[in-house]
């Protein structure tokens, strides 16, 4: 066995440049594959975090009717108390009561349907970090006569408005009567989801509560969890405790996000498998060429009594060694690459375009360590598969024929 | 003297060709222990075929090859590998050696396949390389050796594992006159000293005279079988 490995090792380096070419192909294939997998993962992760943090949170609670008619009439009875009780729970980090309603926003010559979120500025900055998203103007600091409103950058564009502009909100009060009121744009926020930016405005809950005519109105409770993975069991739990409310978790609220994450986790390894398969064909070709060049020599080995099984193993070992050198180097270099890029981030050229679809323009690729091991296993499996055909060719040689060959 | 190989009515027909080729026709030959035999004959007379068949590299289409009391003509292929490794040494016309192994590793190779103890293996390999006059080339790879030197390493390898007999198909075909004589002299010497039965084919008249028995094949049949007393050189 030791000798077999020694011979295989030396055989590999007989045609040095050919071996280096195939090893380089393995390395580049792996780095490319892992890079694209890590970028896809980072993209989805980024979108996931943005969506959860800035938009849907982990769990939302509403009045059952509110889902179809997001109006002030459908408030959560005792919403503030429920939020307080939930906050006491160990597994919940944030339970933020909001007064949310659909309405219309109008500038001098344009109007647009929006979701109005009445929030507590202090709680909101602590939970969703809304204050961090302001790119122009201020975050609920003005004390003027006209109340403040924060709108998305995209909406400001659509309405031709800016910081300081006066806009009118129209929505229903608790009785279902239409009311209108003026607001002054105090700040513009920016998030990665353009649709959300265009459709969502923030005002102080105290202001909107006064307008709709109820001091402690709550139509939505947004919840963040200590252990996000437990979202299913906790939301079931909550809906049992408050059966008169509608409890939904993020996967209910954003099914497309949920499924794309599920699919992605499955598909990443397949991307790599396809790349490794392609590289394996190159490897197969390389080994096959080396067999054809060695017909006489292999014939002599078979003639002097080297068993076919050993010749077979020799070819398999040669292939495996090449794949291990290429695979190990490729994985280590990929690991280094991902670690560096995971810290510095990767700028996506034309990233601004991506933002419309909810993707960030700078990504931080990251891959779990276990993924590298999975790939390593795949590489070795495919290398062995790639060696079977050439090795089979080699042992099918008839020694008498092979040594006759000129 | 003990019979090493005995063929009876040995024949071989190649049928893959358009017209079947009768490469061997009822060959009956006996080789005794310690013989040094040349197989001669014109090109296409069946020398290589004969050596391949008695060496178990090829199956005869008729007749028997009995070695050590066993008929290898009917032996299963998997058993033949082991049989060849234990009983028969081979020297081919060229490209005998494993290019990635040094001279001494090449000579040790068959003993290695036989799982001989390391020390014994090394001593024997060194001894054999010394016998063929290459004790200064132990760690040299074949590509750094001349054609004659490579053939001498091949002879050393064939004899190192002490087989019952050694088959050499045109071992001098690619060598210049001096190297050819040198190789044959070494083979003759080893045949005597190690008492190993040696059978080689050639159509090189220069080296035929080194053999003590000359079998002439014509069209796959034995045309003559002569024994000579050679003066010791
Ligand atoms: N694999 C084969 N298929 C068909 N015919 C073959 C095969 N090998 C050899 N022959 C034929 O068998 C006959 C004997 O060939 P062989 O090689 O044994 O002769 P040889 O005496 O060794 O010739 P040379 O001196 O040229 O080496 C020839 O007619 C040859 O063409
Ligand atoms: Mg021949």
């Amino acid at each position: 066995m030791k000798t077999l490995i020694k011979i295989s090792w030396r055989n590999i380096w007989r045609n040095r440049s050919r071996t280096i070419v195939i090893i380089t192909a393995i390395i580049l294939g792996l780095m490319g594959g892992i890079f694209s997998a890590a970028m896809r993962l980072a993209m989805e992760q980024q979108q996931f975090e943005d969506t959860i943090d800035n938009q849907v949170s982990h769990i939302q609670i509403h009045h059952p009717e509110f889902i179809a008619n997001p109006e002030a009439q459908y408030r959560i009875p005792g919403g503030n108390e429920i939020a307080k009780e939930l906050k006491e729970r160990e597994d919940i980090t944030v339970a933020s009561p909001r007064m949310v309603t659909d309405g219309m926003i109008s500038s001098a010559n344009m109007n647009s349907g929006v979701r109005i979120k009445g929030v507590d500025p202090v709680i909101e900055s602590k939970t969703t970090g809304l204050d961090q998203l302001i790119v122009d103007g201020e975050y609920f600091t003005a004390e003027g006569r006209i109340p403040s409103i924060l709108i998305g950058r995209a909406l400001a564009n659509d309405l031709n408005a800016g910081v300081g502009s006066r806009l009118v909100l129209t929505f229903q009060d608790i009785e279902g009567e239409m009311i209108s009121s003026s607001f002054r744009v105090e700040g513009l926020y920016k998030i990665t989801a353009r649709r959300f930016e265009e459709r969502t405005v923030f005002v102080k809950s105290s202001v909107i509560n006064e307008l709709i005519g109820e001091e402690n109105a709550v139509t939505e409770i947004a919840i963040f969890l200590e252990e996000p993975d437990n979202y299913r069991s906790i939301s079931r739990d909550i809906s049992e405790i408050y059966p008169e409310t509608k409890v939904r978790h993020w996967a209910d609220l954003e099914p497309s996000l949920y499924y794309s994450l599920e699919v992605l986790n499955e598909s990443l390894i397949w991307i790599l498998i396809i790349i490794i398969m392609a590289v394996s064909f190159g490897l197969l070709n390389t080994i096959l060429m080396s067999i054809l060049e060695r017909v006489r020599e292999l014939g002599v080995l078979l003639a002097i009594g080297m068993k076919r099984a050993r010749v077979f193993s020799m070819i398999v070992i040669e292939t495996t060694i090449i794949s291990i050198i290429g695979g190990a180097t490729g994985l280590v270099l990929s690991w280094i690459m991902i670690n560096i890029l995971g810290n510095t981030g990767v700028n996506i050229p034309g990233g601004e375009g991506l933002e419309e679809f909810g993707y960030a323009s700078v990504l931080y690729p990251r891959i779990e360590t276990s993924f590298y091991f999975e790939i390593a296993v795949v590489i070795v499996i495919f290398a062995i598969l790639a060696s079977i055909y050439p090795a089979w060719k080699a042992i099918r040689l008839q020694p008498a024929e092979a040594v006759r060959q000129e | 003297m003990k019979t090493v190989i005995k063929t009876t009515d040995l024949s071989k027909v190649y049928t893959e060709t358009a017209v079947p080729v009768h490469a061997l026709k009822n060959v009956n030959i006996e080789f005794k222990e310690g013989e040094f035999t040349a197989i001669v004959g014109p090109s296409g007379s069946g020398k290589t075929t004969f050596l391949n068949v008695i060496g178990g590299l090829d199956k005869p289409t008729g007749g028997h090859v009995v070695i050590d009391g066993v008929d290898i003509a009917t032996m299963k292929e998997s058993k033949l590998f082991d049989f060849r490794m234990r009983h028969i040494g081979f020297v081919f016309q060229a490209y005998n050696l494993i290019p990635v192994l040094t001279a001494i590793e090449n000579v040790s190779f068959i003993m290695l396949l036989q799982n001989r103890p390391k020390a014994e293996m090394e001593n024997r390999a060194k001894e054999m390389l010394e016998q063929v006059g290459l004790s200064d080339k132990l760690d040299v790879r074949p590509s750094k050796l001349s054609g004659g030197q490579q053939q001498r390493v091949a002879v050393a390898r064939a004899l190192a594992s002490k087989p019952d007999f050694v088959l050499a198909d045109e071992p001098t075909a690619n060598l210049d006159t001096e190297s050819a004589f040198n190789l044959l002299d070494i083979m003759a010497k080893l045949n005597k000293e190690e008492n190993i039965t040696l059978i080689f084919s050639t159509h090189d008249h220069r080296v035929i005279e080194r053999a003590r028995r000359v079998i002439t094949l014509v069209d796959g049949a034995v045309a003559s079988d002569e024994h000579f007393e050679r003066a010791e050189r």
Side-chain angles (χ1 to χ4, degrees):
Chain A
M1 191 67 192
K2 228 177 86 188
T3 321
L4 214 54
I5 293 174
K6 181 167 80 185
I7 295 177
S8 303
W9 171 257
R10 292 186 188 168
N11 277 337
I12 291 169
W13 300 108
R14 277 161 79 168
N15 194 328
R16 200 176 287 265
S17 50
R18 189 167 64 195
T19 302
I20 289 173
V21 165
I22 187 67
I23 286 177
T24 310
I26 296 174
I27 294 172
L28 292 181
L30 277 178
M31 289 179 74
I34 289 176
F35 177 74
S36 65
M39 289 299 278
R40 288 283 294 132
L41 211 55
M43 235 178 199
E44 293 302 325
Q45 190 66 27
Q46 170 102 44
Q47 202 196 15
F48 174 74
E49 280 167 12
D50 285 356
T51 307
I52 297 297
D53 290 353
N54 304 329
Q55 301 173 43
V56 296
S57 67
H58 291 128
I59 296 173
Q60 291 184 2
I61 303 178
H62 298 103
H63 185 284
E65 282 293 319
F66 183 86
I67 315 297
N69 303 299
E71 316 287 357
Q73 295 172 58
Y74 303 109
R75 299 177 302 284
I76 303 170
N80 275 318
E81 284 66 41
I82 293 176
K84 275 203 193 81
E85 282 167 28
L86 288 172
K87 234 178 295 179
E88 299 292 308
R89 287 174 62 121
E90 294 275 292
D91 48 8
I92 290 176
T93 53
V94 173
S96 173
R98 298 163 175 170
M99 172 51 221
V100 177
T101 177
D102 272 7
M104 178 95 83
I105 193 162
S106 318
S107 63
N109 43 20
M110 240 177 286
N111 44 42
S112 174
V114 288
R115 175 151 294 194
I116 303 157
K117 294 213 172 195
V119 297
D120 181 325
V122 180
I123 296 180
E124 211 60 29
S125 69
K126 271 193 285 192
T127 56
T128 60
L130 180 59
D131 54 332
Q132 302 298 316
L133 304 175
I134 303 297
V135 287
D136 198 4
E138 302 287 330
Y139 174 76
F140 293 128
T141 50
E143 294 291 344
R145 195 175 47 82
I146 305 175
S148 294
I149 185 169
L150 306 178
I151 66 173
R153 214 183 23 162
L155 180 61
N157 258 339
D158 293 351
L159 294 175
N160 221 341
V163 174
S165 300
R166 260 172 81 157
L167 300 171
V168 175
L169 285 181
T170 309
F171 48 93
Q172 293 179 15
D173 68 8
I174 53 172
E175 310 291 353
E177 299 292 325
M178 289 301 234
I179 46 172
S180 287
S181 184
S182 285
F183 288 80
R184 188 185 297 283
V185 177
E186 194 193 338
L188 304 183
Y189 70 87
K190 173 194 171 193
I191 67 167
T192 49
R194 187 186 169 92
R195 246 187 80 72
F196 186 91
E197 253 184 38
E198 279 179 333
R199 294 255 307 120
T200 314
V201 300
F202 293 91
V203 299
K204 283 189 188 176
S205 53
S206 54
V207 171
I208 193 164
N209 283 350
E210 203 182 312
L211 289 169
I212 61 167
E214 185 175 310
E215 211 180 313
N216 285 319
V218 172
T219 54
E220 175 176 295
I221 303 172
I223 293 171
F224 286 89
L225 302 176
E226 185 73 42
E227 289 292 338
D229 287 348
N230 298 337
Y231 66 92
R232 280 183 193 277
S233 60
I234 296 174
S235 65
R236 215 176 305 124
D237 204 24
I238 295 172
S239 78
E240 272 166 25
I241 301 174
Y242 306 106
E244 71 282 5
T245 64
K246 178 76 181 166
V247 180
R248 293 179 300 168
H249 50 64
W250 68 268
D252 286 337
L253 294 161
E254 295 284 337
S256 63
L257 178 65
Y258 172 75
Y259 286 112
S260 73
L261 282 174
E262 287 285 290
V263 170
L264 185 69
N265 284 333
E266 289 291 308
S267 65
L268 282 186
I269 191 75
W270 286 103
I271 296 175
L272 262 298
I273 286 178
I274 288 167
I275 289 172
I276 292 169
M277 243 164 88
V279 174
S280 298
F281 274 102
L283 185 58
L284 187 151
N285 184 50
T286 300
I287 299 294
L288 202 56
M289 267 160 71
S290 84
I291 301 289
L292 296 179
E293 284 167 8
R294 286 189 276 169
V295 166
R296 281 206 63 136
E297 181 185 331
L298 293 167
V300 169
L301 287 177
L302 292 168
I304 63 176
M306 188 157 170
K307 290 205 178 64
R308 292 194 196 277
R310 287 209 190 181
V311 174
F312 193 92
S313 320
M314 183 176 86
I315 308 296
V316 174
I317 292 171
E318 283 177 22
T319 320
T320 310
I321 293 176
I322 291 180
S323 76
I324 287 175
I325 296 173
T329 315
L331 289 179
V332 168
L333 290 180
S334 300
W335 183 80
I336 293 170
M337 168 181 74
I338 298 298
N339 269 296
I340 292 173
L341 296 179
N343 282 323
T344 61
V346 180
N347 268 302
I348 310 297
E352 273 72 56
L354 283 175
E355 287 183 4
E356 294 200 13
F357 303 101
Y359 293 107
S361 55
V362 179
L363 290 173
Y364 297 88
R366 201 176 58 222
I367 273 197
E368 281 175 42
T369 317
S370 63
F371 195 63
Y372 293 103
F373 288 104
E374 283 172 32
I375 297 170
V377 172
V378 173
I379 293 169
V380 173
I381 290 173
F382 274 95
I384 290 172
L385 288 179
S387 69
I388 286 177
Y389 178 64
W392 180 75
K393 271 263 191 218
I395 62 165
R396 284 224 328 163
L397 291 173
Q398 292 303 318
E401 302 282 322
V403 296
R404 248 179 216 269
Q405 230 153 78
E406 291 311 316
Chain B
M1 231 184 289
K2 199 178 138 199
T3 299
V4 183
I5 312 169
K6 183 173 161 54
T7 74
T8 37
D9 295 335
L10 195 62
S11 39
K12 172 77 181 176
V13 187
Y14 290 108
T15 47
E16 306 92 69
T17 43
V19 182
V21 179
H22 292 262
L24 293 176
K25 299 168 188 160
N26 297 321
V27 176
N28 293 288
I29 302 184
E30 224 173 288
F31 294 96
K32 303 266 186 219
E33 188 173 27
E35 277 184 348
F36 188 29
T37 309
I39 312 282
V40 300
S43 185
S45 56
K47 304 182 293 293
T48 299
T49 305
F50 180 67
L51 291 179
N52 282 348
V53 168
I54 63 173
L57 295 178
D58 215 348
K59 290 274 180 204
T61 43
H64 306 279
V65 179
V66 176
I67 296 168
D68 216 9
V70 192
D71 186 1
I72 66 162
T74 54
M75 196 180 263
K76 275 219 310 254
E77 131 114 344
S78 54
K79 275 193 148 181
L80 261 177
F81 272 86
D82 216 49
F83 191 88
R84 286 203 298 267
M85 177 184 77
R86 299 200 183 280
H87 298 273
I88 312 174
F90 289 93
V91 178
F92 300 101
Q93 190 173 320
Y95 309 108
N96 272 289
L97 305 178
I98 304 169
V100 296
L101 297 182
T102 61
I104 189 162
E105 286 167 342
N106 264 293
V107 175
S108 309
F109 191 75
I110 295 171
M111 294 186 281
L112 198 81
L113 293 179
Q114 296 173 341
N115 289 321
R116 300 268 185 93
K118 195 166 186 254
E120 179 200 323
M121 211 160 73
E122 263 176 28
N123 288 336
R124 177 71 176 157
K126 272 193 196 139
E127 182 196 348
M128 287 314 298
L129 280 170
E130 207 168 298
Q131 295 266 31
V132 299
L134 290 174
S135 37
D136 56 335
K137 303 283 187 196
L138 299 184
D139 298 318
V140 177
R141 294 222 189 156
S143 55
K144 297 262 157 56
L145 296 172
S146 72
Q149 289 171 331
Q150 290 183 24
Q151 288 303 75
R152 276 142 69 190
V153 175
V155 167
R157 177 183 65 192
L159 274 83
S161 56
K162 299 194 175 155
D164 296 348
F165 58 94
V166 171
L167 301 175
D169 190 13
E170 307 216 28
T172 60
N174 291 353
L175 303 183
D176 57 62
T177 306
E178 197 189 332
S179 307
F181 280 135
N182 179 252
L183 187 74
L184 259 292
D185 286 341
I186 286 170
M187 285 168 62
K189 183 186 78 176
L190 287 171
N191 160 256
K192 216 169 143 31
E193 285 173 9
E194 305 254 335
N195 197 35
I196 288 182
T197 314
L198 259 160
I199 305 166
F200 71 100
S201 77
T202 187
H203 44 208
D204 184 348
H205 289 286
R206 301 165 302 178
V207 298
I208 294 172
E209 62 181 44
R210 294 290 196 278
R212 286 201 295 272
R213 181 181 178 188
V214 178
I215 296 170
T216 309
L217 291 181
V218 175
D219 282 341
V222 180
S224 72
D225 184 354
E226 302 160 282
H227 292 258
F228 299 95
E229 283 306 318
R230 302 282 188 210
E232 292 303 329
R233 291 172 53 92

